[in-house]
Amino acid sequence: MHPPREHRILVSTSTPMSATAPPVLSLNAVSKDFHARGYGRHGGDVLRAIDGVSLELRDSQTLGVVGESGSGKSTLAKLLVRLERPTSGEVSFMKNSIASFDAPGLKMFRRHVQMVFQDPYSSLPSRMSIRQILTEPLIIHQIGDQASRLERVRELVDQVGLRSSDLKRYPHEFSGGQRQRIAIARALMIDPRVVICDEPVSALDVSIRAQILKLLHDLQADRALGYLVISHDLRVVRYLCEDVAVMYLGRIVEQGRTAGVLERPAHPYTRALVGSVLDPEMATVAKTRRLSVLSGQIPSPLDRPQGCHFHPRCPLRSKLAEADQARCVTERPGLRALPDGRHAACHYAEKVLEHDRPHAPTDVVAGAG
Ligand SMILES: Nc1ncnc2c1ncn2[C@@H]1O[C@H](COP(=O)(O)OP(=O)(O)O)[C@@H](O)[C@H]1O
Ligand SMILES: [Mg+2]
């Protein structure tokens, strides 16, 4: 007996975006602690990688998550696909807690939420041919028969820019960029609603990053996929995502439309991130806005500063009156809505925006690191 044939995967589906539809994926006040065993004087301490994050991803939405290395981005991705469990808070798929899913529920969830990892060298099974790698998801989810599966495999191989003759080859025969194309095809085989991409081009040669980004962009546009794109590189998120969340030490510090947030950041951390990009177009933004570059290291999540986590590195703080500066040290700013609809977690976000006016004093510009 043939498994039930699924038609959905054979036609490109596009779900109309609706603000009233429930989010496909959501995090509600999620925190994640790790035990930092054997970390020097901190051995046995608890490391909070994610700290009370709430986030929603809707159908067709392209949401980027940016922040320096160590800010908790990969942990966030793992929580979203249940590779990690939250210490507190809830991750939901279509309003259902993913922690409660039984085996069939989890299978359905995995069908709709796929992931593309950073490293295409370790993420593909070495002993399987490309054809086997791409057919496997269809078999697991009992989609189609042999002929329609092969048809689907050929279709995807073509869409990601590989050739049918590549199907009999093995991952080690391909370059990093081609492997990432295979990983992307595999993620799309079962027509998911959401693809989570964790640093999708960071492990690739600089020369081929643009091609893979274009591929990701075109695939999203064609099928109205939801994307959650994680990157330490603002340019990746600017290219792929309409919305952005900026993370610092496990918290979201700014969130809104990518264009608005990057063009005129409301959080000093976002300003500094934008100021640190060495891309000509963004450098122009940085110059006209007189942004400082980011100085110093991100603190260890084991030694998180009091009050605003960013205050020891904050270029704005020294420009505030002393009484105002004290607040940054004592009071943790929550994420709050600003008049343009974005959210920022800075007591002085309005001042940051005002700072961007042409007569504002020039920031100290340290060497880009
Ligand atoms: N399994 C783990 N055990 C202990 N600490 C971890 C583990 N995974 C991540 N961390 C720590 O959590 C913090 C966030 O890491 P990660 O989510 O990988 O950040 P990012 O992807 O933004 O670089 C880091 O300090 C990292 O060392
Ligand atoms: Mg990471």
Side-chain angles (χ1 to χ4, degrees):
M1 192 184 84
H2 285 301
R5 186 175 166 129
E6 279 264 2
H7 290 283
R8 185 170 176 258
I9 63 150
L10 299 175
V11 283
S12 178
T13 57
S14 78
T15 317
M17 178 132 86
S18 161
T20 53
V24 182
L25 277 175
S26 56
L27 291 135
N28 187 10
V30 168
S31 294
K32 177 65 186 179
D33 294 342
F34 291 112
H35 289 285
R37 264 176 264 104
Y39 274 51
R41 69 190 172 92
H42 298 294
D45 282 1
V46 166
L47 178 159
R48 175 148 294 189
I50 296 288
D51 190 11
V53 167
S54 295
L55 198 63
E56 289 185 343
L57 185 79
R58 295 179 183 278
D59 266 321
S60 313
Q61 188 181 1
T62 48
L63 173 63
V65 176
V66 291
E68 287 163 283
S69 169
S71 55
K73 304 180 301 295
S74 291
T75 304
L76 187 81
K78 288 176 189 162
L79 288 164
L80 281 168
V81 296
R82 221 176 92 164
L83 287 174
E84 293 283 1
R85 305 285 191 125
T87 305
S88 61
E90 197 169 63
V91 182
S92 302
F93 172 69
M94 304 300 290
K95 284 197 161 168
N96 298 303
S97 167
I98 66 171
S100 69
F101 286 158
D102 55 8
L106 201 57
K107 193 168 166 186
M108 175 275 302
F109 171 67
R110 299 230 183 280
R111 160 144 195 211
H112 291 299
V113 182
Q114 283 287 307
M115 191 147 168
V116 171
F117 295 91
Q118 172 172 355
D119 182 6
Y121 290 90
S122 61
S123 66
L124 296 175
S126 56
R127 288 166 190 278
M128 287 165 78
S129 68
I130 306 312
R131 178 174 170 172
Q132 288 171 318
I133 290 171
L134 296 183
T135 309
E136 191 182 45
L138 299 176
I139 295 173
I140 289 173
H141 292 277
Q142 301 181 336
I143 296 166
D145 54 22
Q146 219 177 348
S148 69
R149 283 174 190 159
L150 184 58
E151 186 190 329
R152 174 71 178 166
V153 166
R154 287 186 196 282
E155 190 186 324
L156 255 297
V157 156
D158 180 57
Q159 285 173 15
V160 301
L162 295 167
R163 291 178 308 240
S164 284
S165 56
D166 291 330
L167 287 174
K168 57 181 186 300
R169 298 167 68 196
Y170 287 78
H172 71 266
E173 297 176 61
F174 293 91
S175 66
Q178 285 172 313
R179 283 186 209 214
Q180 202 60 317
R181 289 177 193 273
I182 297 161
I184 292 165
R186 180 177 59 171
L188 295 181
M189 281 309 299
I190 47 180
D191 203 14
R193 289 171 77 150
V194 171
V195 178
I196 297 173
C197 306
D198 188 2
E199 304 278 5
V201 298
S202 302
L204 306 179
D205 267 9
V206 175
S207 58
I208 51 154
R209 285 183 189 170
Q211 297 167 21
I212 300 297
L213 286 178
K214 181 170 188 311
L215 174 66
L216 284 169
H217 175 272
D218 293 348
L219 291 169
Q220 193 280 331
D222 286 350
R223 28 192 113 209
L225 263 176
Y227 266 173
L228 190 114
V229 178
I230 288 171
S231 181
H232 68 280
D233 189 339
L234 282 176
R235 294 167 298 178
V236 168
V237 164
R238 186 184 51 161
Y239 182 72
L240 290 176
C241 302
E242 256 191 293
D243 299 298
V244 66
V246 182
M247 280 188 80
Y248 189 73
L249 274 185
R251 294 182 189 159
I252 293 175
V253 296
E254 183 160 4
Q255 190 179 355
R257 301 302 257 183
T258 309
V261 167
L262 298 188
E263 178 65 30
R264 199 163 174 237
H267 194 286
Y269 179 61
T270 317
R271 288 188 97 228
L273 270 186
V274 173
S276 303
V277 174
L278 296 170
D279 170 76
E281 193 183 323
M282 293 205 26
T284 307
V285 173
K287 202 171 163 195
T288 53
R289 298 286 182 219
R290 303 172 189 200
L291 305 186
S292 56
V293 303
L294 199 52
S295 61
Q297 294 282 311
I298 187 169
S300 159
L302 288 163
D303 274 323
R304 295 185 306 160
Q306 293 290 305
C308 172
H309 287 163
F310 188 57
H311 85 257
R313 298 171 82 188
C314 182
L316 175 81
R317 201 168 74 90
S318 61
K319 299 185 175 73
L320 297 169
E322 248 172 66
D324 291 339
Q325 289 192 27
R327 193 175 171 205
C328 305
V329 184
T330 54
E331 196 185 322
R332 177 213 275 199
L335 205 55
R336 62 193 172 88
L338 297 177
D340 68 358
R342 86 174 82 187
H343 289 73
C346 173
H347 297 308
Y348 304 106
E350 289 80 1
K351 280 198 166 79
V352 179
L353 288 170
E354 197 176 313
H355 196 76
D356 274 339
R357 291 212 309 243
H359 66 266
T362 309
D363 285 346
V364 178
V365 178

